[in-house]
Every structure is written in structure tokens, then in C-alpha cells.
Amino acid sequence: MARFHPMLAVTGIMLYIALGEGAITDCVDASSCNGHGTCPSPCSAPCSCTDGYGGHDCTIPPICTAAGSECGANGACTTSSSPYVCTCSNGYSGPTCTVAPICTATGNQCGTNGACTTSATPYVCTCSNGYTGALCTTAPICTAAGSQCGTNGACTTSATPYVCTCSNGYSGSTCTVAPICTAAGSQCGTNGACTTSATPYVCTCSNGYSGSTCTIAPICTAAGSQCGTHGSCTTSASPYVCTCTDGYTGSLCTTAPICTAAGSECGTNGACTTSATPYVCTCSNGYSGSTCTIAPICTAAGSQCGTHGSCTTSASPYVCTCTDGYTGSLCTTAPICTAAGSECGTNGACTTSATPYVCTCSNGYTGALCTTAPICTAAGSQCGTNGACTTSATPYVCTCSNGYSGPTCAIAPVCTAAGNQCGTKGGCNTCTSTYSCQCYSGYGGTTCATAPPCTARGSECKNGGSCDISTFPYTCTCPSGLTGATCQGAGSQVTFFVATLIVSALSSLFFMQY
């Protein structure tokens, strides 16, 4: 028994995914519309459906008809658009208006704390007295005359649901969470005061203290020496902080600067900039580094840049500016071509307007030195009878016709305009340069030979599944936890369905070769 090669399986799956994702929705001709519509603009618009059908290829049947009774006594068939649909009345809903409303105008479904709103479909309960829920059965957490909000709150009944509005700094759904401080209390200590202008109450700290109850001492004080000799304590806000001077940094101004105004830390090729904190070395003479100790790669009077460059000293660090097409930090890397040279051959010329110099190719040639020949020429026959050589840009390329593809237009299309390669469930899409089968009625595959497991508005997808008609072939979208081609729950069916797609795709590829 022949073994099934895993690479063939991967090829089949990838082909199936590509075909599904690349489905075309514009019609090719009247046959694209499955007998229920016309193709108003081939290759540029979907089908114009008739008879109440819908979808880009008119495969979605109407759920009702103008003279039918599909919508029952609580609905009417709307035929002004495709597909036809039921417009429900009397509060009913659902595709065929079979879902009864949860309440009626004369009923008591909404109880004593609600009323049935019948101005829209479906009917809904509009609750009162603070009640909520679909049938107004969920009681509010408080009532106007009740004591649910306690002595530190009141029930607000101006909106539904009713809620407790707290006072005296209390918070929580029923105002039972006490504030961290009170107006007459000492919870904020000697370095804070209780702010009672909003709920909940909070401690506003002073003297540099911080924390919820102002117990965290500041790192410095106005009369203290915590900031040392290179800083002072800023007490205009809480918490207090050290403001550093003399280039020092850190929370207590203990980190010394890398240089000082009178020091020599920056050496002979730099100066200490003290206009901001921290102090930094500003380098000169092309030097760089934190203390200006890294020498430049070139100097104004030196020859470090060689005969193909010069030292640019307008900024630090100094750098070599190259000429004659040379590159590199010291201009030692020669260009691949020169103005008077023949490095670019007979199919290119050296462009010297920028550095580095490069070969600009002609006659369709490419490559650094224009040595890679084009796949076709203007007078040649490399593109065969189903293509022509495009020479308006480099490199030259074959522009294919008649659905052929490939570098030299040697790959035949899977279908032709007059052929029947796409079978009875597809037509040849000649709207693009590469012809392909455009499938109908949910079929898929290279030649539209793969039947779908479900149909639009059909019942093939079990257990609450639905038919996804956005892919080709159509597939069942299953609820969470269910598997199988038709959501029947058997994982083996998924394997079978995918295997069917693989075999179909591979079979099509096999027959295309012969």
C-alpha cells in the first residue's frame, strides 16, 4: 500500500487555505449568479439577484415570499431588498417572527414595578421604582423611605436603578465604609488635616509629610542639613525635596558632578558646562567622551583621510568626508566603478553624482556590475506565444497573456474561457492576468470539485452550528467544544473532511500535469 507523503498533505492544506482566502466576489458572467440573478458588470461588480435571493453569487435563498405565509400572523415579508426578510409586528422577533415578546401591552409580565414598551420591536419592560432586569424583578439596593443607606447616606431615586449617595465621608454601595479621617478627629496627626469637602474624606499633609494619614516624614526640613553643602530643602510643596546646586545630583545631593568650573576634569580638549545640573564636559578639537579623552580619527592638518577624503572639523567628533566614490571611516574603501573605467561593462555606466559610485544598468541587465542578463529581450521569443517582453524598466520581464504565468509565461492556466475545466459548479475567471476557476454554490477547490458540507440557510450544521458562506467551499462554524464537518462532535470527521479537500486539490494538480 502506497504511503501518503506528509509534504503532500501540507501542500494540499496550504492550497485549500489560499483558495478560501482568495475567493472572488465579482461575477464573471450570468452563470456566476446560479440562475437567480444577472451579471450587470462582469469582473467589477457582484451579481444583481432576483426572486428574493441574496449574496454575491445569489446562493442565499429568501426566507419568505410576497404571497407566502412564512412570516406567520405576526410578520410580513419585505421584498424591497435582497434577500427577502420578515418584518415582525406585535413585538415578535426572529427570522420568521416566531419568537414571542417577553411582555404585551395588556399583560402583567413586567410586574408592579414596570410597564411594557410597545413602540419598537421586540417589546421590552421599562422599569420603575428603581427595579431592573428583563422583567423588572431585580429590587434596588435602597428605597426612598428605607434605611438601607444607613445614617451616612441617602437613597437617590431620580434615576434607575436607585443608588445610595453617601455623606460624612462614608463610601461603598450602602455607605458602610468609614472615612480614614473626620473633621474633629486626629487621624491625620500633627502634620495633616482632614479634607471634608468631598467624599470620601482624605488627609491633606503639611510640613513635608506624606502618606494616607501623613505619617511618612520628609527627607529634609527647612532648618535641617539633610541636603548637605550642595543643596537646599524645597518646602513649597509636600513632600519636601532637595534641590541640588554645584552640579550635584541625587535625592540628598550626594552624587558629585564629573567636572567642576575650576577643575581640569575635561582635560585640554574640553570645558565644564555649569549652566545646568548635572555639570557635563563640552568637548573641542574633535575630542569626545564623558571627559573628552577620546581623540578624533582625523585632524585639520593631518592626512588620516588619505588622498580620497578630507577632515570635517565643524563639529565634534571630527569625521572624514570622502570623495572620488570612496567610503569608510578613513575613506579607504574603493568604489566598485570609476568614471573612466569599464567596470560596469557594455550594459551599464558608472554613476558618480553621489558617494559611493554605483553602476546604473541598461538593456535590462542587473547586478552590482550589470552582469546579470535579463530573462527576455525586445526582439527575442523568450516569453513564448503567450507573453511579451516589457522593456520599459530594468530588469526586463515577461508580461503574460491568455492566463499564462511564470517568469517566461510557460505555466498554463488551470482553465480557459471556452473550456469546461471548472465543471458544472464554476466558471473560468478571465478578469485577471492569471486565469482561475471561480466557484459557485459553495463549491471550492482548484477546479470547483470540492462539495460544501452545508448550504446557505440550510440545516446541515448540527448542534447550533452555522454555515459560513464567506469561504469556498462553504464550511460549518461550530459552537465552542464541538467539532466535525457538520458540528456533530466527532473529531474524526474533521480529519475526514480535511483529507477530502487534500485529495481533491492533489487530484486537480495531478490532472493538470497530464
Side-chain angles (χ1 to χ4, degrees):
M1 182 176 179
R3 297 179 63 188
F4 189 75
H5 199 286
M7 282 305 296
L8 294 179
V10 173
T11 301
I13 293 172
M14 292 304 294
L15 177 61
Y16 166 64
I17 293 174
L19 289 170
E21 291 182 347
I24 299 173
T25 58
D26 292 337
C27 59
V28 177
D29 51 35
S31 62
S32 304
C33 306
N34 291 286
H36 297 290
T38 59
C39 185
S41 181
C43 303
S44 62
C47 292
S48 177
C49 301
T50 57
D51 306 322
Y53 278 75
H56 71 272
D57 57 354
C58 304
T59 55
I60 302 176
I63 59 176
C64 62
T65 57
S69 58
E70 298 88 351
C71 303
N74 297 291
C77 191
T78 297
T79 61
S80 57
S81 60
S82 292
Y84 293 171
V85 293
C86 289
T87 300
C88 303
S89 56
N90 302 323
Y92 278 72
S93 59
T96 54
C97 304
T98 55
V99 180
I102 60 172
C103 64
T104 57
T106 57
N108 61 354
Q109 298 89 345
C110 303
T112 57
N113 297 293
C116 191
T117 298
T118 61
S119 56
T121 297
Y123 294 171
V124 293
C125 288
T126 300
C127 303
S128 57
N129 302 323
Y131 277 72
T132 56
L135 297 175
C136 304
T137 55
T138 303
I141 60 173
C142 65
T143 57
S147 59
Q148 298 89 345
C149 303
T151 57
N152 297 292
C155 191
T156 297
T157 61
S158 57
T160 297
Y162 294 172
V163 294
C164 288
T165 300
C166 303
S167 57
N168 303 321
Y170 278 73
S171 58
S173 60
T174 54
C175 304
T176 55
V177 180
I180 60 173
C181 64
T182 57
S186 59
Q187 299 89 345
C188 302
T190 57
N191 296 292
C194 192
T195 298
T196 61
S197 57
T199 296
Y201 295 171
V202 293
C203 288
T204 299
C205 303
S206 57
N207 303 321
Y209 277 73
S210 59
S212 59
T213 55
C214 305
T215 55
I216 301 175
I219 60 172
C220 64
T221 57
S225 58
Q226 297 90 343
C227 302
T229 57
H230 301 287
S232 59
C233 192
T234 297
T235 62
S236 57
S238 287
Y240 294 172
V241 293
C242 288
T243 300
C244 304
T245 58
D246 304 322
Y248 277 72
T249 56
S251 60
L252 296 175
C253 304
T254 55
T255 303
I258 60 173
C259 64
T260 56
S264 58
E265 298 88 354
C266 302
T268 57
N269 296 292
C272 192
T273 298
T274 62
S275 57
T277 297
Y279 294 172
V280 293
C281 288
T282 300
C283 303
S284 57
N285 302 321
Y287 278 73
S288 59
S290 60
T291 54
C292 304
T293 56
I294 301 174
I297 61 173
C298 64
T299 57
S303 59
Q304 297 89 344
C305 301
T307 57
H308 300 288
S310 60
C311 192
T312 297
T313 62
S314 57
S316 287
Y318 294 170
V319 294
C320 288
T321 300
C322 304
T323 58
D324 305 322
Y326 277 72
T327 57
S329 60
L330 296 176
C331 303
T332 55
T333 304
I336 61 172
C337 65
T338 56
S342 59
E343 298 88 352
C344 303
T346 57
N347 296 293
C350 191
T351 298
T352 61
S353 57
T355 297
Y357 293 172
V358 293
C359 288
T360 300
C361 303
S362 57
N363 303 321
Y365 277 73
T366 57
L369 297 175
C370 304
T371 55
T372 304
I375 60 173
C376 65
T377 57
S381 58
Q382 298 90 344
C383 303
T385 56
N386 296 292
C389 191
T390 298
T391 61
S392 57
T394 297
Y396 294 171
V397 294
C398 289
T399 300
C400 304
S401 56
N402 303 321
Y404 278 72
S405 60
T408 56
C409 304
I411 301 175
V414 296
C415 62
T416 57
N420 59 355
Q421 299 90 343
C422 303
T424 58
K425 297 297 182 179
C428 192
N429 186 348
T430 60
C431 304
T432 59
S433 58
T434 302
Y435 295 173
S436 61
C437 286
Q438 181 170 322
C439 303
Y440 315 140
S441 303
Y443 276 70
T446 307
T447 54
C448 304
T450 304
C454 60
T455 56
R457 297 203 193 284
S459 58
E460 298 89 351
C461 301
K462 309 301 182 185
N463 302 314
S466 59
C467 191
D468 182 0
I469 62 173
S470 64
T471 61
F472 292 88
Y474 294 170
T475 56
C476 286
T477 300
C478 303
S480 177
L482 293 178
T483 58
T486 55
C487 308
Q488 69 274 42
S492 60
Q493 293 297 319
V494 175
T495 305
F496 175 77
F497 181 55
V498 172
T500 302
L501 295 173
I502 294 172
V503 172
S504 175
L506 293 176
S507 298
S508 300
L509 290 174
F510 177 80
F511 287 114
M512 285 168 58
Q513 297 297 320
Y514 299 94

